[in-house]
Amino acid sequence: MTDTRNLEQVRADIDAIDQDIQALINKRAQCAQRVAAIKLAEAAATQDGVTAAEVVFYRPEREAQVLQRIINRNSGPLDGASVAHIFREIMSACLALERPLQVAYLGPEGTFTQGATIKHFGHAAICVPQTTIDAVFSQVESGECNYGVVPVENSTEGMVSHTLDNFMDSSLKISGEVELRIGLHLLAAPGTAEGEITRICAHQQALAQCRNWLDKHWPHLEREAVSSNGEAARMAAQQPGVAAVAGDMAAELYHLDKLASHIEDYADNTTRFLVIGREEVPPSGRDKTSIIVSSRNKPGALFALLEPFRRGNVSLTRIDTRPSRTEKWAYVFFIEFEGHLHDEKIAAIMAELEEQSIMLKPLGSYPQALL
């Protein structure tokens, strides 16, 4: 009897706490509405002709700082990342009261890029699928969408070259990064027997990420690279004999059954995505910077580009090469490193690189991924 009363009291305590949480969330939402009103009033008072549509409500560095403080002050029993995910959704819903964000991503629905978009912006953002990475860039450049999300590298398969190539000609800036654990499954329409499958479809990166598993279990079956895992899932749902390699979101969206789960060759398979926008992002206190740089084709050229980072004790997080479009057998380097372009030490390194390179293009500084 005592245990029953104790359980009822704990449940009553939970109900009371839920009521307090709900009231505080709505109080926070009211503050977000006040922020929107202040920004709109300031825009109206300026002489620069800034319209309401041009007012910037989303601040990547501010959101990163808030989430970092949430993680730092968390005392459990929930872990910091779990609490930060909850607050991400609260912040997403509050931001939507100011103005819902339109975010382009590499579609169709059900892709990992959509999952990365939701992870970064929350469910209140309006996700707008695009058929190609080029189209994602175009949507943001034209102002049709506020931001875009594109894949840039996988932990087992390396860089996504098409994304890097788009940065060569685009004026867009990198506004953030997202890391997403990739779980791949073999999916088919309900009722499909293994003997009925004649073709396995997926994005070429996904096929590569589970190559060993497919070689072992389906060595003689045709594999077809398609534009995205979401497209492969759509094909599996509509075309008899087609199986798809895709994730949980695609399986749920297209109502597919899992013939095999987690077929990726490496358990820690992770893809990194970049958030692209039109504005530069101020320092958050924990930032990365990406640049594209090209030097003259001579011995020691790469060493000369990297030496200023060594002397400045700046940690490089990524370096990759792409063929130059202007000179045969010449290359441009995609370099990422810790720090912000506004940092005095980074600014000095950029000045030195500019003197010794034939092309230097900063792609932006942005908060490092927290979740």
Side-chain angles (χ1 to χ4, degrees):
M1 202 63 175
T2 302
D3 289 343
T4 301
R5 284 198 298 270
N6 288 341
L7 179 59
E8 290 174 351
Q9 181 58 55
V10 171
R11 285 174 173 168
D13 291 343
I14 289 174
D15 289 342
I17 292 169
D18 286 346
Q19 187 172 346
D20 291 341
I21 291 173
Q22 186 174 354
L24 288 171
I25 290 175
N26 280 313
K27 188 174 181 179
R28 189 190 194 283
Q30 290 169 356
C31 288
Q33 290 178 316
R34 287 165 54 197
V35 168
I38 292 170
K39 288 183 176 181
L40 289 171
E42 289 177 345
T46 64
Q47 304 298 319
D48 299 331
V50 177
T51 65
E54 296 172 318
V55 176
V56 177
F57 292 103
Y58 175 65
R59 296 287 299 276
E61 80 288 355
R62 162 70 177 163
E63 184 167 291
Q65 291 165 347
V66 170
L67 290 175
Q68 186 65 67
R69 286 198 293 267
I70 288 167
I71 293 172
N72 291 344
R73 69 172 176 249
N74 185 60
S75 59
L78 292 176
D79 64 82
S82 296
V83 175
H85 277 297
I86 294 169
F87 271 84
R88 170 81 82 189
E89 289 298 331
I90 293 173
M91 294 162 69
S92 177
C94 290
L95 181 63
L97 291 175
E98 301 177 47
R99 180 179 297 136
L101 288 177
Q102 301 261 355
V103 185
Y105 71 94
L106 180 62
E109 289 184 287
T111 61
F112 286 112
T113 312
Q114 183 184 17
T117 302
I118 293 172
K119 181 179 180 181
H120 188 80
F121 289 100
H123 284 79
I126 299 173
C127 299
V128 185
Q130 304 297 317
T131 56
T132 64
I133 290 174
D134 297 34
V136 176
F137 274 78
S138 295
Q139 284 288 298
V140 182
E141 288 169 346
S142 68
E144 292 293 321
C145 289
N146 304 103
Y147 292 93
V149 178
V150 290
V152 70
E153 95 179 274
N154 177 264
S155 59
T156 60
E157 292 302 313
M159 300 298 284
V160 180
S161 58
H162 202 67
T163 295
L164 300 188
D165 290 342
N166 269 274
F167 279 117
M168 293 290 292
D169 301 318
S170 176
S171 61
L172 296 181
K173 305 294 183 182
I174 301 175
S175 304
E177 63 174 357
V178 192
E179 294 181 355
L180 192 68
R181 169 72 174 82
I182 303 299
L184 295 169
H185 318 299
L186 187 64
L187 308 175
T192 303
E194 290 189 1
E196 298 173 339
I197 297 174
T198 60
R199 186 168 37 132
I200 296 176
C201 298
H203 188 274
Q204 61 183 6
Q205 283 264 341
L207 291 174
Q209 290 163 24
C210 55
R211 182 187 299 110
N212 294 337
W213 189 93
L214 291 173
D215 287 346
K216 179 178 179 181
H217 294 89
W218 302 83
H220 305 299
L221 214 59
E222 177 189 355
R223 301 173 200 174
E224 180 182 348
V226 296
S227 59
S228 70
N229 296 332
E231 173 62 15
R234 186 194 64 77
M235 293 169 62
Q238 297 179 357
Q239 300 179 23
V242 173
V245 175
D248 289 316
M249 183 178 290
E252 182 177 349
L253 180 66
Y254 294 100
H255 309 291
L256 300 174
D257 289 343
K258 293 180 182 178
L259 301 182
S261 298
H262 291 287
I263 65 174
E264 60 272 14
D265 293 332
Y266 299 95
D268 61 348
N269 186 24
T270 300
T271 294
R272 181 166 159 263
F273 302 82
L274 294 178
V275 181
I276 53 176
R278 294 184 296 277
E279 296 89 19
E280 294 184 357
V281 179
S284 71
R286 186 174 176 271
D287 300 293
K288 275 185 183 178
T289 296
S290 297
I291 63 173
I292 292 175
V293 61
S294 178
S295 66
R296 293 172 179 82
N297 189 6
K298 62 181 182 179
L302 179 57
F303 176 82
L305 291 177
L306 300 183
E307 174 62 12
F309 293 100
R310 186 197 66 80
R311 282 191 274 104
N313 197 30
V314 172
S315 177
L316 299 181
T317 58
R318 185 77 200 183
I319 181 169
D320 214 305
T321 60
R322 296 294 299 149
S324 171
R325 297 176 181 177
T326 59
E327 185 179 348
K328 186 178 180 180
W329 307 122
Y331 296 88
V332 296
F333 298 96
F334 178 84
I335 302 176
E336 292 182 347
F337 50 91
E338 294 180 355
H340 195 283
L341 288 167
H342 289 179
D343 298 343
E344 184 176 340
K345 179 166 60 175
I346 300 301
I349 292 174
M350 291 300 100
E352 188 171 345
L353 290 183
E354 193 163 18
E355 288 182 359
Q356 60 180 293
S357 64
I358 56 177
M359 186 271 287
L360 174 62
K361 183 179 182 181
L363 302 180
S365 296
Y366 47 94
Q368 296 184 34
L370 286 170
L371 303 178

